[in-house]
Amino acid sequence: MYAKVIVDVPTGGTDRPFDYYLPEALAENASKGMRVLVPFGQRKLTGFIVDIVSETKLEKVKSVSELLDLTPVLNNELLRLGEWLATETICFQITAFQSMIPAAMRAKAMKKLSLLSKREKLPMNVQALFGQADEVDWAQVPADARLLRDIRNEAEQGHLTMKYALKDQAKHRKVKAVVIQRYETPPATEKQKQALLFMAEQYGEGELVAIQILMKQAAISRSVVNTLIKNDYLQEKEIVIDRNPYTDAEEDGNEEKATLTSDQTDVLAKVKKNITQSQATPMLLHGVTGSGKTEIYLQAIDQLMEAGKEAIVLVPEISLTPQMVERFKKRFGANVAVLHSALSVGERFDEWKKIQEKRVQVAVGARSAVFAPFTNLGLIVIDEEHESSYKQEEYPRYHAREVALWRSRYHDCPVVLGSATPSMESYARAAKGVYELLSLPERVNQKPLPDIELVDMRLEMREGNRSVFSTSLLEKLRDRLKKGEQSVLFLNRRGFSTFVMCRNCGYVGMCPHCEISLTYHQRDGQLKCHYCGHEERLYERCPSCESAHIRYFGTGTQRVEEELQQLLPEARIIRMDNDTTRKKGAHERLLKNFGAGEADILLGTQMIAKGLDFPNITLAGILAADTLLHLPDFRAQERTFQLLTQVSGRAGRDEKAGEVVIQTYNPEHYAIQLAQSHDYLSFFKKELGQRKQAGYPPYYYLTLITFAHPNYATAMKAGEHAGRVLRSNLGEDAIVLGPTPSPIARIKDRYRCQCMVKYKDEPALTELLRELFTYFQKEIQQDQRFITIDRHPNMFM
DNA sequence: AGCACGCCGACT
DNA sequence: GTCGGCGTGCTC
């Protein structure tokens, strides 16, 4: 038998299966979708078996060295999905496969140089390399020509050899556990007796108990256990356990179902119908904030689980706060796997294993959870479907929504796209009848949506208020403090970060390698580039005019916190941003503290915009509503509307009515006006007109091709070539723009230019893009991609 | 991606 | 003459 293997070399020349002989011993256990170790040239590489065949056209083939899995990591469905993904997103097969499995399984073969004979026989320089060790990591061997030649000589004489080991990615977590060894003679002390008795009663003979757990349950200290081990009452062993990242979540799985409103009941019935009838129908669930979308997901999943089916629930990365996860854990207990980026590599592996081994029926997670290896899917939910984090911004540049739709067709199961502010694309599809439209126009608590006040910051400024806070917002914050109610303050930092400017000549600190202003980091007094990491010290005098009037601009959360604390000295403030949530678990802890009423005001960035559900919040404030509005992005209006609506939704979710203050310099802008009146439909119609006029989605599909090169002319020339090819091969309707310099015209000393394709129906485009990709792929410069193709880009940077 | 092969300039 | 620079092309 022969295995067709996709090897782990992401280049154009190797983006196809290679044939390997499967020795009988391996053939028995080998199957499609397993990872293998194969010889490739002079090296050994990992790869995926994509097929097993009985013949090969090749005269001589090498043999598969090793199987790396007992069961396939990619089943037939996922193998096919991977092929589709590579085709659609114009990436290499291996890249697609790797992105579908947890990082812990992306094993790389590691080369080690190993000693075969006495070290004294080796030349001095090679001996020095080994020191006292018998093996050295090949990556540690210096690239010294002389040394490399000597090593090769020694290898030819059989004194040295190359060994290949798989890099251990800390797959399983092991903990110390104990088992009863003897019980007859009672131990010396009372504590020990207690502990042993507890072991015997709770666990009996031969059963392993993790020491941590025993200590907690029997309320004994580690030293008692140690003594028992020392005196042979207990035997110490190691067991493999799942890491449990959500130790705080109550996992009883007994939370009561909520009573549904009649709107909810209707929607649920439609979802259930599509599940039971195995209809691959996409449904768009448009429900206002607080309308109880999650409860519908929960009840629909509850039913399909009883029928033995499985469900995937996707949530945006940043909102993957415990609140959503906790609700699933509370309802379904240990039947849920959680996959997101805040977990360690090992934790993610454990959660993935639970799915693969069919120990759970529900996966809740961010974008990549859409690849959860379920085999009997009954439903895929994408919550907050408009969120941009569902699009992956590196290869493979896929959108989780499109992958979900593919899988739904494969499994004949529905997809539910939920949002209070659906994306233009999705709502347009629903309006056309491509998606089934479901709506929840009212909040479950029957309360109206909160009142929104627009504050014109230009007037504030004219009236002499130079603070970040308007008089009205400050007034309302004081009022909440007095009443003991809570407030959230939202500050959007995007496009508004702290940069340094000279007030005398207008000089702005720029990165010398990228066409972008440097960001000021107060913590270490450094100016940093967010794209290449370049750092420099904050200058005391302007490098251009030598004036001392140089200062940083922009409003960081830290500065806002300081100002707020000065204005309201008695307020207890929790700040949530990248700085304060970097540590593992910090995000959860801060939210928990806020929920427990340990603070009056929650001040934060993007991450507090959604999913936050605390009954005592009665005021939401948006400090600068228009920072998003002026980004060079055709989705700027949509993003602004979505954000304002989401943040507004945080207030008044329970009994007490909520209030919202939006501070803006453009109070007359339609995105802000319509957010104020909670009028999604009018916004959709207005924005749709704009998109039609400008030729953007949902009227046109987009594909962005970016070229990056140290030489500006080379990048432009490539762009011109691509433009010519596209123009001459695409239909009349297609519009090819560019090449033009990218919005960020230089990153890491490489000039960037782009071509944009706008099209409606171009079946040949995918193939054409692949050809361009292959053509330009050869010209890889400095380990960096020369050409980047983004189907359906989110950003044009 | 590596790694070998191969074809040219500068040196023990 | 040899060593070593890096352009080119292949890896089942």
Side-chain angles (χ1 to χ4, degrees), chain A residues 429 695-703 757-761 792:
Chain A
R429 286 188 195 176
Y696 280 121
Y699 286 96
Y700 281 89
Y701 293 113
L702 301 178
T703 292
V757 187
K758 294 178 171 184
Y759 62 101
K760 291 191 168 177
D761 181 32
H792 319 301

Side-chain angles (χ1 to χ4, degrees), chain A residues 658-674:
Chain A
E659 225 180 337
V660 179
V661 176
I662 297 179
Q663 303 187 159
T664 172
Y665 291 89
N666 301 269
E668 63 290 330
H669 193 284
Y670 67 91
I672 292 173
Q673 291 267 323
L674 293 170

